[in-house]
Amino acid sequence: MTEKLYIYDTEKRMKREFVPIVKGRVGMYVCGPTVYGDPHLGHARSAITFDIVFRYLRHLGYKVRYVRNITDVGHLEHDADEGEDKIEKKARLEQVEPMEVAQYYTLRYHDAMRALNCLPPSIEPRATGHIIEQEELVKQILDNGYAYESNGSVYFDIEKYNKKYHYGVLSGRNLDDIINESRALSGIGEKHNQADFALWKKAQPEHIMRWPSPWSTGFPGWHTECTAMGRKYLGDRFDIHGGGMDLIFPHHECEIAQAMASGGHEIVNYWMHNNMVTIGGQKMGKSLGNFITLAEFFSGNHPKLTQAYTPMTIRFFMLQAHYRSTVDFSNEALISSSKGLERLLDAHKALGRITPAGADADIRLSHIDELRRACTDAMNDDFNTPIVISHLFDACHTINQITDGKATIAPDAIEALKAVFADFAFDIMGLQDEAASNAEREKAYAGAVDLLLDIRRKAKEAKDWATSDRVRDELSRLGFEVKDTRDGATWKLNK
Ligand code: ZN
C-alpha cells in the first residue's frame, strides 16, 4: 500500500487521498437494489462502479468488508413518504406474498450481477431483517430531540436539526429551497414541516408489511435502513459509502442527518456516487419506451435493440466511461465496444503465442514497467478505467506489431506484459473471455448431454414420444439448444 489513491468525495467536492480509518482495512457500504423489478442498466452501472472499487482496493492489499443491502421494504411509490410500498404493490398486482416478489427479484439481480462478473459483497443485509436496529435508531433520534411522533408515525425534524447542524451538506442545497420545493408538491399533513421525512410510518389497514413498534404497528422509513445496517456491520465510522447520483438527495442527505442526530458525528469518510445511464441521449423511463432490462440486453429481445449484447460487452462499455460521467447507450456504441473488447482479448491470446527475441529486443522490460505505472496512475486517479483501457489498447497495438514481425520483444517483457493484462484487464476491471468460458462449459457438459441425447434417440425408436420430448424440453429449459438433423441430434449451449 505504498500507492497514493485519490477518491472524489461528493461531500467535500474534491479528490482526497484515500486514508483508511483502520490501517490495512476498508469498510464500504453501497446502496443496493429495491427488489420489485428486473435489474436494468442503472443497477449494472452502480454495481460495476463499486465492483471496481472493491477489486482495486483488494488489489492494493486492503482487507475490504463490502456491504451492499437489499431494500425489501419502505421504498414507497413517491419518495416523499407517500404512496404504496413498491414491493407490496407488485405483490398485489401479481397476487403473491411481498416476500415472494423480493425473493424473485433478488435472485434475478444476483443472476445478472454474476453474468456481469461483479463479485458478491461480503455481507448483503435485507432491510426487513433489521427492523429492530432501525427502531433503535428512531429511538435514539427521538431521545436526542430531532424527531417527533405524529399520529403513530415518527418524522425527522429538519428545522430543529438545521439549527445545530446543516441539512444539505451533501447535495449543496439549502433548507429554504428544499422547503419551497416540497411545499409545491403537497400539503403538510401530519408533518410539522413538509421537508420532514418519515423515520417510522404507521401502517394503513390495507398495508401488509408491518411490524410492532413503540409508536404504532408500521414500517420503517426508507432512509433508516442504510444508517442502521451500515453502523451494525461497519461500525460507527467507516470509510466509503456509495450509490448512484440519484441517491444523493434525499436518500444520502437524510442518512447524514440521521447519523448526526443519533450519534453526533458523521459515519462516512468518503461519499462516492456514480453517474447515470441514458439511452439514445434520453433518461431511461417506461413512458419513453426505452426502458431496457439487462435480461433484454443479453437476449436482444427489445424493439430498440438491433442485436443481443453479452454481459461482458455491457461491462466493457461502462468501463470505457469514467464512473462520474454519464454513459449513453446506443446500438452503434455497444457494437463498437464489443469489437474493442474482442481486440483486447485477441491481443491477449496472441501474447501467449509470441516467440521472444533476445535481451536487445525493441520492447524491453522497462517499456512494460512504464505501461504498468501508467495503468496504476490511472486507477489511483479516482478509478479512471477509460485511461487504463486506452493504455491496454496501446499494448494491443504493440502486440500486433510483434505478431506482424514489425517489432521484437524480450522474454522478461513478455512475462511482464502478461502480468499487466492479468492484473488490470482481468483482476481489476473484471473482464472475462466469455467465448472461452462457454467453450469450457460445453466441454464439461458434453458427456452428460450426449448421454441424454442417446436416451432420447432410443426413446424415439421405441416411439416413446413423451420421454423424447421431455429430454429436449428440459435441455432447452437448462439452456441447451437441441437441433435434429439427418445425421442425428446436435446441441449447443446458449449464453
Ligand atoms: Zn441506501
Side-chain angles (χ1 to χ4, degrees), residues 350-351 353-365 367-368 371 395 398-399 401-403 405-418:
L351 193 54
R353 298 191 296 265
I354 287 175
T355 319
D360 60 346
D362 302 325
I363 312 294
R364 291 187 290 274
L365 186 58
H367 296 105
I368 309 301
L371 170 69
T398 307
I399 293 169
Q401 281 198 314
I402 299 166
T403 53
K406 290 180 190 146
T408 55
I409 185 165
D412 53 358
I414 290 192
E415 292 315 309
L417 189 48
K418 281 182 189 164

Side-chain angles (χ1 to χ4, degrees), residues 39-298:
H40 53 69
L41 288 176
H43 294 111
R45 181 112 207 245
S46 177
I48 291 170
T49 297
F50 294 101
D51 186 52
I52 296 294
V53 175
F54 183 37
R55 284 169 177 272
Y56 190 58
L57 289 169
R58 295 204 321 179
H59 173 81
L60 292 180
Y62 290 109
K63 191 165 166 36
V64 186
R65 185 180 295 165
Y66 171 20
V67 180
R68 188 181 63 206
N69 68 303
I70 296 281
T71 296
D72 55 1
V73 68
H75 202 158
L76 305 185
E77 278 286 287
H78 313 288
D79 286 346
D81 309 328
E82 297 303 331
E84 200 173 358
D85 186 291
K86 289 184 175 184
I87 289 165
E88 200 171 296
K89 181 181 175 188
K90 188 95 183 172
R92 179 171 57 77
L93 295 174
E94 295 187 358
Q95 297 187 309
V96 294
E97 271 291 311
M99 276 302 113
E100 282 182 272
V101 172
Q103 179 69 9
Y104 178 78
Y105 289 111
T106 300
L107 295 177
R108 296 283 289 173
Y109 179 76
H110 287 165
D111 286 348
M113 294 309 118
R114 199 176 306 115
L116 290 166
N117 201 25
C118 290
L119 299 172
S122 328
I123 305 176
E124 194 172 50
R126 284 170 175 255
T128 52
H130 298 78
I131 301 292
I132 292 169
E133 288 83 352
Q134 296 180 70
E135 287 189 18
E136 209 48 52
L137 174 71
V138 178
K139 270 182 219 158
Q140 284 169 3
I141 299 173
L142 271 170
D143 287 348
N144 291 348
Y146 293 107
Y148 55 90
E149 204 185 322
S150 176
N151 193 25
S153 293
V154 180
Y155 293 99
F156 192 93
D157 189 338
I158 297 233
E159 234 163 20
K160 180 149 184 217
Y161 173 80
N162 201 51
K163 281 190 186 124
K164 180 157 181 197
Y165 305 106
H166 173 202
Y167 184 71
V169 278
L170 186 65
S171 58
R173 302 185 186 198
N174 71 56
L175 188 57
D176 288 340
D177 293 343
I178 294 168
I179 290 173
N180 284 335
E181 272 170 40
S182 42
R183 195 166 287 151
L185 288 174
S186 58
I188 283 181
E190 40 187 48
K191 298 179 187 176
H192 293 174
N193 188 316
Q194 189 52 46
D196 295 350
F197 59 91
L199 296 170
W200 186 265
K201 284 286 276 186
K202 179 181 172 179
Q204 296 307 307
E206 68 277 10
H207 202 103
I208 311 167
M209 298 170 85
R210 51 169 72 214
W211 291 265
S213 84
W215 317 289
S216 64
T217 299
F219 55 95
W222 170 34
H223 314 301
T224 59
E225 64 177 276
C226 292
T227 307
M229 298 191 293
R231 216 176 236 165
K232 179 175 172 105
Y233 295 113
L234 297 171
D236 222 21
R237 254 193 101 66
F238 60 84
D239 300 290
I240 299 171
H241 191 323
M245 237 172 203
D246 53 336
L247 295 179
I248 292 177
F249 191 88
H251 186 50
H252 290 161
E253 196 74 76
C254 294
E255 277 192 45
I256 293 179
Q258 290 171 158
M260 300 284 270
S262 57
H265 62 84
E266 279 211 39
I267 300 184
V268 176
N269 208 355
Y270 299 80
W271 281 96
M272 288 184 71
H273 293 94
N274 63 276
N275 211 321
M276 299 289 104
V277 172
T278 53
I279 296 187
Q282 281 181 309
K283 210 177 156 209
M284 206 166 60
K286 291 218 165 92
S287 56
L288 294 169
N290 68 353
F291 188 90
I292 313 176
T293 67
L294 289 171
E296 286 164 342
F297 270 103
F298 301 163

